Amino acid sequence: MNSRERVKIALEHREPDRVPVTASFTPEFAQRLRNYFGLPSHFSNPHGGEIHDLEETLGLDIIQYAVGIGNSFYASEEREYICDWGIRWRQVEYETPFGVGHYTEIAEHPLACDKLYQYVPPDPYREELYTPLGRVMEKYGEKYFILGVTVCTIFEAAWYLRGMDQLLMDMIEDEEKANYVLDIPFHFHLEAAKRLVEMGVDGIWLGDDVGSQKGMLISPELWRKYLKPRMATICRELKNINPHLKIAYHSDGNIYPIIPELIEIGIDVLNPVQPRAMDPAFLKERYGNKLSFWGTIDEQHTLPFGTTEEVEKETRERLKVMAPGGGFIISPTHHVQLDTPLENFLTFLETVKKYGYYPLSF
């Protein structure tokens, strides 16, 4: 069974030969892996571009290809740069036991002022956005599950443009402005996702961070008013193109209140299921017949700060609880960071390869 077959079977809530596994990495951690395996140096986009030798080497099951504002996080190696959305980004250093990493922060929101109606968004129809995917599909499309990525789809992209405080005030005090700003990334990512589906990807990854560690960042009522209808439109239009398409929704944090409505609008897969914010076992029991789960391995503590024994224990526990009946892709709940010991990540991967085969036995 190849990776594409394995993921497709799992997302049909059946048991393949092994639980599918995937991961993504910050550029610095990706380079550590490249050095370890003797691969050529390459500045990696965590959401995937054209080069996927790392996924091949690690035996991962999903290959990602991203279009949209999510690519802006690592759009340049310069200390400060402006992406094609007009957002000014700044690379901020952080120290780890394994060297200095860089995280991108927004230094300037182009729509923070009131010149909203003069803003010209990037063009989602530019052919250069999609040409590399054709080569990815040709090389990997038969063997791997190809996931088109348009994350930071609506809410996140809108506050990147407007500023979070101002967007939240707009959502309460000025619906016209709020809808105008939200429609900018909504229309772009809708058109981008449609093109990715037309090119033959197996799944689309949507989503916005709308959860904090303990609850929703915005009220469920605001989510229903502004975000749910737009997400529903995207899901409907994508599945009109390909009724067999699988759609994943990303939100960090605790989003218990909206999970039934994600299922209602056509979401097939919930990501990343942070175990320190939501209980994976509860989600599997409550929604496992309607929803698949992707993630669950703790990137807040276990992977960066745990021992290899703790990593193996957590990985085995997730397999035991989440894998029966299919509907599960195991992975870290975020890009693996530079502060993660290499042996911890490799222990995670080795544990999946050792204990993740069906029939599971623990």
Side-chain angles (χ1 to χ4, degrees):
M1 186 174 293
N2 66 28
S3 292
R4 184 168 186 259
E5 295 165 337
R6 182 175 299 126
V7 176
K8 288 173 77 70
I9 288 171
L11 295 184
E12 291 168 357
H13 297 271
R14 297 187 290 130
E15 295 181 352
D17 61 336
R18 170 178 58 73
V19 174
V21 60
T22 193
S24 57
F25 318 100
T26 60
E28 295 92 352
F29 191 84
Q31 189 57 50
R32 279 173 65 199
L33 287 171
R34 290 180 169 280
N35 293 342
Y36 180 81
F37 288 106
L39 298 174
S41 293
H42 172 64
F43 185 73
S44 300
N45 171 2
H47 290 308
E50 187 172 351
I51 298 175
H52 296 282
D53 55 349
L54 199 50
E55 290 92 332
E56 292 182 273
T57 300
L58 294 169
L60 305 182
D61 293 305
I62 293 176
I63 281 178
Q64 300 180 22
Y65 184 86
V67 175
I69 205 167
N71 284 340
S72 299
F73 283 100
Y74 297 100
S76 172
E77 296 183 73
E78 297 295 322
R79 178 61 61 90
E80 195 166 292
Y81 60 91
I82 298 175
C83 70
D84 62 358
W85 292 77
I87 302 165
R88 185 179 298 276
W89 299 82
R90 181 179 297 126
Q91 302 262 16
V92 180
E93 292 186 353
Y94 63 94
E95 299 277 350
T96 81
F98 309 104
V100 176
H102 298 83
Y103 233 95
T104 48
E105 296 181 354
I106 295 176
E108 184 178 330
H109 305 278
L111 299 185
C113 63
D114 281 332
K115 296 181 179 179
L116 302 183
Y117 305 105
Q118 287 76 47
Y119 177 76
V120 179
D123 178 4
Y125 303 105
R126 289 169 291 159
E127 196 60 36
E128 64 266 25
L129 297 175
Y130 308 98
T131 300
L133 175 60
R135 295 189 286 268
V136 169
M137 295 294 296
E138 184 176 355
K139 184 173 183 180
Y140 296 108
E142 292 187 6
K143 184 177 179 182
Y144 290 88
F145 187 93
I146 308 298
L147 183 66
V149 181
T150 55
V151 289
C152 310
T153 313
I154 304 168
F155 176 69
E156 278 193 80
W159 76 252
Y160 296 172
L161 294 169
R162 181 70 164 149
M164 180 174 279
D165 291 353
Q166 187 59 60
L167 179 65
L168 292 177
M169 287 190 287
D170 292 341
M171 292 169 79
I172 298 297
E173 298 178 349
D174 194 329
E175 293 183 23
E176 180 182 342
K177 282 184 179 176
N179 282 314
Y180 185 86
V181 176
L182 289 164
D183 275 343
I184 294 170
F186 162 64
H187 289 304
F188 180 99
H189 291 119
L190 171 61
E191 295 306 315
K194 286 165 61 177
R195 179 66 184 276
L196 295 175
V197 174
E198 289 166 352
M199 293 182 70
V201 300
D202 298 297
I204 289 288
W205 188 13
L206 309 172
D208 295 294
D209 285 339
V210 292
S212 71
Q213 200 73 8
K214 296 184 180 297
M216 298 280 291
L217 282 174
I218 61 175
S219 70
E221 290 74 21
L222 283 179
W223 182 84
R224 293 178 187 120
K225 179 177 182 177
Y226 288 107
L227 303 181
K228 179 182 176 180
R230 291 175 168 90
M231 280 291 178
T233 296
I234 295 175
C235 292
R236 182 176 62 253
E237 294 207 19
L238 297 184
K239 290 192 175 185
N240 282 342
I241 298 170
N242 177 7
H244 303 291
L245 183 78
K246 297 300 182 182
I247 301 178
Y249 181 94
H250 168 90
S251 176
D252 289 341
N254 180 330
I255 58 167
Y256 283 131
I258 65 171
I259 291 174
E261 291 165 86
L262 292 174
I263 297 169
E264 172 195 322
I265 66 174
I267 296 299
D268 302 291
V269 187
L270 186 64
N271 164 268
V273 192
Q274 287 179 285
R276 291 175 181 265
M278 294 195 294
D279 179 12
F282 167 79
L283 293 175
K284 178 73 173 182
E285 181 179 1
R286 179 69 179 82
Y287 302 110
N289 62 332
K290 297 179 180 178
L291 201 60
S292 295
F293 303 97
W294 161 24
T296 77
I297 298 300
D298 180 27
E299 180 59 38
Q300 291 180 278
H301 174 77
T302 307
L303 274 180
F305 306 120
T307 64
T308 53
E309 291 79 12
E310 289 170 328
V311 172
E312 179 178 338
K313 180 181 178 181
E314 179 168 313
T315 304
R316 292 184 65 180
E317 178 64 21
R318 296 289 183 268
L319 291 169
K320 180 180 179 181
V321 170
M322 304 298 289
F328 184 45
I329 300 167
I330 194 166
S331 80
T333 55
H334 197 278
H335 307 315
V336 181
Q337 315 289 300
L338 186 60
D339 59 0
T340 300
L342 197 61
E343 57 267 25
N344 279 10
F345 174 72
L346 295 176
T347 294
F348 154 71
L349 206 56
E350 290 161 4
T351 303
V352 176
K353 301 294 179 69
K354 182 176 181 180
Y355 295 102
Y357 280 88
Y358 292 98
L360 301 168
S361 59
F362 293 94

